[in-house]
Amino acid sequence: MQKITYAAECPECASAVTIEAEVRVSEIIECTDCRSELEIVSTEPPELALAPEVEDDWGE
Amino acid sequence: MDSVTPRLGILASRVRYEEKSIMAALERRGAEFEYLDPRSLSVVGAAPREAPSFVFNREIGHFRAYYAASALESAGVTVLNTAAATRVTGDKWHTSAALLGAGLPTPATALAMTPDAALKALEEIGYPAVIKPLVGSWGRLVTRVTDRAMASAVLEYVAALPSPQSHVVYLQELVPKADRDIRVVVVGGTAIGAMHRRGAEWRTNVARGAVSEHCPLSRSHAELAVSAAAAVGADIAGVDLIEDEEGRVTVLEVNGQVEFRGFQEAEGSRVDVGDSIAALLIARAAA
């Protein structure tokens, strides 16, 4: 089966990042080039931002 | 399509495995929902008619989760877990107080109002003991102290922390236990399964590399977990139980924003956590 992907630019290193079609907004992916954690801020059009830093009160 | 399901909102600033599996389960069940990002949420007055009237709170940050729930409730929105439950489960002392108030077994715990008072309290609790931040998760900054000299050094660092809340010190006896604990997931007053978390480190958090394994759910563990979730007022909870060397089981923690990736992997096809939660949300949104 054909897999649908989108491409967006990594905000850290400007590499092309492949985004799978089934991702959701606010999901975190990783740039395969610079390993930055990236947040999906939009799927239409695909848009990425650096993921927020983990804060002290995060967790279960 | 059920006419009530569009009233459901899911509040989460970070969509992880858990949120994705719940959203996917809702979609499989044909339930509509609206994704809400708490980073762009503000609440002024009553909720507008078109806004979700039932919100599932999966915000990862405790303070934002609690205040978002409180603000939404004040606007007439039903929130699950409730703001009150989020306040209790996000704070270790409030959780301990709720468990003690319900008469449930939990390790000996003290709350000291200053680091100096904590040193005195540790003499009563005895060593080894554990110093934990009131708010936080994944085992971060949880410190095992084995004697007075070590405790004194750790508390000196605690005293130097900038936040006034950090100077209120939560202390707990270190329960001698096997290299594993038991995580029971409770959804809507039912224990849906259990797993062991086994780790080489004394903190058996999955976030610290502990391995998850299926654990047959005993009736006594199920009842204790359901009682613990009820004590903190949580509809959905991950309850951590530990068994000491004499076989006594105590409630260590009740997590209100339960993470269940490791649990689901350990359970396999025995239980579908995302679907169990989706079913509860649909039922509650329709109520």
Side-chain angles (χ1 to χ4, degrees):
Chain A
M1 198 172 75
Q2 200 175 21
K3 197 170 188 177
I4 300 169
T5 58
Y6 303 104
E9 187 176 279
C10 172
E12 182 75 359
C13 72
S15 302
V17 179
T18 302
I19 303 172
E20 293 177 9
E22 60 268 27
V23 295
R24 295 182 188 271
V25 170
S26 297
E27 196 175 325
I28 305 297
I29 62 170
E30 191 179 84
C31 173
T32 50
D33 272 24
C34 73
R35 299 287 170 198
S36 295
E37 279 200 328
L38 305 173
E39 178 180 343
I40 311 278
V41 291
S42 162
T43 53
E44 292 175 8
E47 193 183 335
L48 299 167
L50 282 174
E53 295 284 327
V54 173
E55 296 192 44
D56 288 345
D57 70 338
W58 282 21
E60 288 192 289
Chain B
M1 184 66 62
D2 188 335
S3 64
V4 297
T5 50
R7 296 164 66 234
L8 173 62
I10 297 186
L11 187 76
S13 63
R14 196 159 200 169
V15 172
R16 300 164 287 174
Y17 168 89
E18 288 80 6
E19 289 74 33
K20 284 178 72 176
S21 73
I22 294 162
M23 290 176 184
L26 286 167
E27 286 165 353
R28 281 198 302 275
R29 286 173 169 268
E32 288 185 11
F33 62 90
E34 184 180 341
Y35 166 68
L36 306 169
D37 189 337
R39 291 169 295 182
S40 54
L41 175 74
S42 60
V43 180
V44 184
R49 190 182 298 272
E50 66 275 14
S53 56
F54 182 91
V55 167
F56 181 41
N57 188 2
R58 286 291 305 183
E59 167 52 26
I60 193 169
H62 166 64
F63 290 106
R64 196 154 56 198
Y66 166 62
Y67 284 106
S70 178
L72 288 167
E73 286 178 356
S74 74
V77 176
T78 301
V79 183
L80 189 152
N81 289 325
T82 62
T86 298
R87 175 175 172 271
V88 173
T89 55
D91 181 295
K92 289 189 172 58
W93 170 250
H94 291 320
T95 301
S96 291
L99 294 171
L100 291 166
L104 296 174
T106 191
T109 302
L111 191 70
M113 299 308 131
T114 63
D116 281 348
L119 205 54
K120 291 195 188 88
L122 280 166
E123 298 301 324
E124 285 187 46
I125 286 184
Y127 295 97
V130 186
I131 299 174
K132 300 180 178 181
L134 283 172
V135 172
S137 187
W138 305 329
R140 281 172 310 186
L141 301 180
V142 172
T143 309
R144 176 172 58 176
V145 289
T146 52
D147 55 42
R148 185 183 168 88
M150 185 191 276
S152 182
V154 170
L155 290 166
E156 211 172 307
Y157 279 101
V158 168
L161 292 171
S163 159
Q165 194 196 37
S166 302
H167 303 158
V168 177
V169 186
Y170 179 94
L171 309 157
Q172 201 163 55
E173 67 167 320
L174 180 68
V175 178
K177 64 178 172 71
D179 61 346
R180 66 184 193 187
D181 64 8
I182 302 158
R183 158 67 62 94
V184 181
V185 174
V186 176
V187 178
T190 302
I192 63 168
M195 70 167 180
H196 287 304
R197 297 186 302 182
R198 190 188 299 275
E201 208 192 330
W202 63 280
R203 293 172 291 187
T204 43
N205 299 89
V206 172
R208 310 209 76 84
V211 176
S212 310
E213 298 165 346
H214 168 68
C215 167
L217 179 60
S218 71
R219 188 171 171 177
S220 63
H221 289 169
E223 286 174 355
L224 184 54
V226 168
S227 298
V232 299
D235 285 299
I236 295 173
V239 181
D240 295 341
L241 308 176
I242 48 172
E243 194 171 3
D244 70 13
E245 288 162 331
E246 274 86 49
R248 286 183 298 255
V249 178
T250 58
V251 182
L252 189 62
E253 282 189 15
V254 185
N255 300 282
Q257 302 277 359
V258 59
E259 293 170 356
F260 55 82
R261 185 172 192 166
F263 184 92
Q264 187 62 66
E265 285 168 3
E267 290 297 278
S269 60
R270 295 179 191 92
V271 64
D272 185 334
V273 184
D275 191 63
S276 299
I277 292 174
L280 178 72
L281 297 178
I282 292 167
R284 291 290 177 85

